Amino acid sequence: MEMMEKVAYLKGLAEGLGIDNTTKEGKVLGAMIDLLDDMALAITDVGEGFVMMGEELDAIQEEVDDIIEDLYSEEDEDDCCCHQDFDGELYEVACPSCGDIVYVDEDMLDQGEIACPGCGEDLEFDLDGELDDDEPEDEE
């Protein structure tokens, strides 16, 4: 039996017993039954609110999961903004501190170092001794 049904049962018992609402005891019992009725209504409303809130949270969680899937899906890696509208060659460098992959171009390599966008660690590039594609190799 639910709370509202129990309160209705108590009201029926009080009426069936013929409790006189003009006596001290009758007034107290009537006030207690009215209070129980109000409390049962309030608790029922709170319970319904929790159910509605749970449904809303589930819907929000589904939307967040969809957004995360869209942002981090592997299918979209080729469409990354760092590859669009760029004519030069990009090099993939793994940060030794955090392991993030950083894409650098020739200009960045010529600077000698950049800060890792993931952790801020300085990534240094030492290209001394490396041959350019345009320079012929010395053959012995």
Side-chain angles (χ1 to χ4, degrees):
M1 202 180 322
E2 289 189 30
M3 227 181 309
M4 294 299 295
E5 293 169 341
K6 289 180 181 180
V7 172
Y9 176 75
L10 283 175
K11 281 184 179 180
L13 275 178
E15 289 175 8
L17 291 174
I19 296 178
D20 185 11
N21 287 338
T22 58
T23 65
K24 293 178 187 177
E25 294 84 10
K27 288 180 183 179
V28 168
L29 285 174
M32 289 173 62
I33 291 173
D34 288 343
L35 176 63
L36 286 173
D37 189 35
D38 291 344
M39 289 172 60
L41 282 171
I43 290 171
T44 301
D45 288 345
V46 168
E48 290 172 358
F50 277 132
V51 169
M52 288 175 41
M53 187 172 41
E55 291 170 356
E56 288 292 321
L57 285 174
D58 288 343
I60 291 170
Q61 183 63 49
E62 287 177 13
E63 290 180 24
V64 168
D65 290 343
D66 290 344
I67 290 170
I68 289 173
E69 185 178 327
D70 288 345
L71 285 175
Y72 296 110
S73 70
E74 292 180 19
E75 298 171 5
D76 294 337
E77 282 185 6
D78 293 336
D79 297 335
C80 176
C81 61
C82 60
H83 295 290
Q84 295 175 352
D85 300 329
F86 183 74
D87 294 332
E89 190 171 350
L90 289 178
Y91 302 96
E92 193 174 282
V93 178
C95 176
S97 295
C98 67
D100 281 355
I101 301 297
V102 180
Y103 294 95
V104 295
D105 62 11
E106 303 242 354
D107 292 335
M108 293 174 167
L109 291 174
D110 290 340
Q111 290 176 5
E113 71 178 49
I114 61 166
C116 173
C119 66
E121 182 75 23
D122 283 338
L123 303 176
E124 296 179 4
F125 309 111
D126 183 15
L127 300 178
D128 291 341
E130 300 262 337
L131 293 175
D132 289 338
D133 292 339
D134 298 336
E135 293 181 16
E137 291 185 27
D138 291 330
E139 294 184 19
E140 292 179 22

